[in-house]
Amino acid sequence: MPVRHVLVVDDSKSARLMLRKMLQGFGLTVDTVDSAEEALVYLRTQRPDAIFMDHTMPGVDGLVAARQIKREPATALIPITMYTSKDEPAYQDEAREAGAVGVLVKPATPEALGSALEEMSALFDAAATQAISPPPAPVPTVASHAPSLEQMEKIAEKIALEKAEQVIYDAIESQVLPLVNDVIAKLRRDFESNQEEICSRIATGVCEASFAQREPPPPDSRDVRAALEAVTQSQWLPLLEERLEAFQHAERAENDKRVKEAALQVFQEQAAPLAGRVLEQSRAMLTEATQKADLAAREVALETSQQTVLQALAEVSSAGSGASDQRAAAEEAFRRLWGSAKHDIEKQIYRAASWAAAVGIGAALLAYLVR
């Protein structure tokens, strides 16, 4: 079972009260004495579950008292932890040789105190499983420090005084300390509020004084105007010109883009009807040119034939020979003239066909380009 009743041995009143308060926080019953001699007298009639022993005390020190307690069968099983500011490894080994469980270093923390209580509880449980100890016998004291009857009476008075002080401290903690804490908290709030206001006023005054010292004299209006004009001439005007030129360039590019898009849209909308009309006109022109070429070729052929016949007749008439010779001469002249006329007719037809073909190719190319 866990430790429930603890004895604190320390000559420092503040250390006793602090450790007592922490142990009570773990729900333990705590008794305190201020010397090793008083602890030995206490153990004659009381059996705590564990002991926290200081090392440096007037009279018998803590290690001597621990050895004495461990030599007596009635108290040998009580776990002892040295409560001191010594934390050297050599001292810890010496404390264990004297019978202590370990060392709790001052000032104690709740974590370290909890670990020490767990270790002492384990030893206390192990001791509880052993045989019941005989009735407590008087613990012989160290020969060189055997207390007399008068010393024992003083020790008893101290224990009674310690008990009375504990009762008073408990009353103070339960009744007076809450009121004191409330008053302290109120004073702290008032102090912090006043301090904040005072610091704010001081900081404001310091800043105003500093700004007043560093404030430059008011500038002359002419100097300001001249400075503004210089800045405008040197920086603003070039910047504005550059921005205006960039804007104009962007505006021109945007306008060109818009014109191209509009022209392309109009062209796409008008291209198909225009191409159809051009193609129809080209076909009509081609038909008309072909008809004209055919008619011209016929007229040329007829005129050439007529001229050939007339010329042949004239040549026959001019010849003074017989009928057979005239017929032969007429046929010869007709063949000669007809060959020449035929050659002219072919040239005229070739020219008309070439002109018609050129017109047709031009119309087809125009229709393709329009599409």
Side-chain angles (χ1 to χ4, degrees):
M1 59 183 176
V3 171
R4 296 180 179 177
H5 183 198
V6 178
L7 173 66
V8 176
V9 184
D10 199 319
D11 63 322
S12 173
K13 190 172 185 179
S14 60
R16 291 197 309 270
L17 293 177
M18 183 177 67
L19 184 58
R20 174 174 170 268
K21 183 68 176 177
M22 294 178 68
L23 290 170
Q24 286 178 344
F26 284 91
L28 305 179
T29 301
V30 183
D31 293 333
T32 60
V33 294
D34 59 1
S35 66
E37 292 84 358
E38 292 183 12
L40 296 175
V41 172
Y42 174 88
L43 292 174
R44 291 182 181 180
T45 56
Q46 302 291 331
R47 288 293 181 272
D49 298 337
I51 300 174
F52 286 91
M53 180 77 69
D54 186 21
H55 173 73
T56 304
M57 294 181 291
V60 180
D61 63 28
L63 290 180
V64 174
R67 293 189 184 97
Q68 183 65 35
I69 293 171
K70 290 297 180 180
R71 278 199 296 264
E72 299 300 327
T75 57
L77 298 179
I78 300 176
I80 301 175
T81 295
M82 301 305 297
Y83 180 54
T84 178
S85 58
K86 296 178 178 292
D87 60 348
E88 298 84 1
Y91 180 79
Q92 294 180 2
D93 295 339
E94 186 179 3
R96 291 188 180 90
E97 290 177 358
V101 176
V103 178
L104 179 63
V105 181
K106 293 181 181 179
T109 62
E111 293 78 10
L113 182 59
S115 300
L117 287 173
E118 289 179 0
E119 190 173 2
M120 297 169 79
S121 296
L123 293 176
F124 180 71
D125 291 340
T129 59
Q130 297 180 3
I132 300 175
S133 301
V139 179
T141 59
V142 182
S144 58
H145 297 88
S148 61
L149 180 60
E150 183 179 358
Q151 291 176 341
M152 293 179 62
E153 291 177 354
K154 290 181 179 180
I155 292 172
E157 291 177 0
K158 288 183 180 180
I159 294 175
L161 181 61
E162 188 75 21
K163 292 288 185 181
E165 289 179 352
Q166 290 181 3
V167 172
I168 294 173
Y169 289 144
D170 291 339
I172 291 173
E173 290 179 0
S174 61
Q175 298 181 9
V176 179
L177 284 182
L179 298 176
V180 174
N181 290 334
D182 293 340
V183 173
I184 292 174
K186 186 174 183 297
L187 291 175
R188 181 177 296 172
R189 289 194 298 270
D190 294 341
F191 178 76
E192 290 177 354
S193 177
N194 294 332
Q195 284 294 105
E196 184 178 357
E197 183 180 356
I198 293 171
C199 291
S200 177
R201 289 202 301 268
I202 293 174
T204 303
V206 171
C207 292
E208 291 178 354
S210 177
F211 289 153
Q213 293 177 358
R214 297 181 181 180
E215 184 177 1
D220 190 358
S221 60
R222 291 175 296 178
D223 297 338
V224 172
R225 183 178 300 173
L228 290 175
E229 291 179 355
V231 171
T232 302
Q233 293 292 336
S234 61
Q235 298 182 8
W236 284 99
L237 289 180
L239 182 59
L240 288 175
E241 292 177 357
E242 181 181 356
R243 295 293 176 85
L244 180 59
E245 183 178 357
F247 176 76
Q248 291 176 351
H249 181 71
E251 189 68 19
R252 286 196 297 270
E254 185 67 22
N255 290 335
D256 293 342
K257 182 179 178 181
R258 291 176 181 174
V259 169
K260 290 180 181 179
E261 290 178 353
L264 179 60
Q265 184 176 1
V266 171
F267 179 76
Q268 289 176 353
E269 292 176 354
Q270 301 295 331
L274 180 61
R277 291 195 298 271
V278 170
L279 185 58
E280 292 295 332
Q281 293 177 1
S282 299
R283 290 175 180 174
M285 291 173 63
L286 179 60
T287 303
E288 184 179 358
T290 303
Q291 292 176 357
K292 287 182 178 182
D294 188 15
L295 182 60
R298 289 181 180 182
E299 291 178 355
V300 169
L302 181 60
E303 183 180 357
T304 303
S305 299
Q306 290 176 356
Q307 291 178 359
T308 301
V309 171
L310 291 176
Q311 187 176 359
L313 291 175
E315 289 180 357
V316 170
S317 298
S318 61
S321 45
S324 59
D325 294 335
Q326 290 178 357
R327 184 180 299 175
E331 290 178 357
E332 179 66 24
F334 182 77
R335 283 195 298 269
R336 180 168 49 81
L337 293 174
W338 175 249
S340 177
K342 183 180 180 181
H343 181 71
D344 292 337
I345 292 171
E346 289 178 353
K347 289 173 67 176
Q348 293 293 332
I349 293 173
Y350 179 76
R351 288 176 182 174
S354 298
W355 184 78
V359 173
I361 292 172
L365 182 61
L366 180 61
Y368 177 76
L369 292 176
V370 169
R371 289 183 181 178

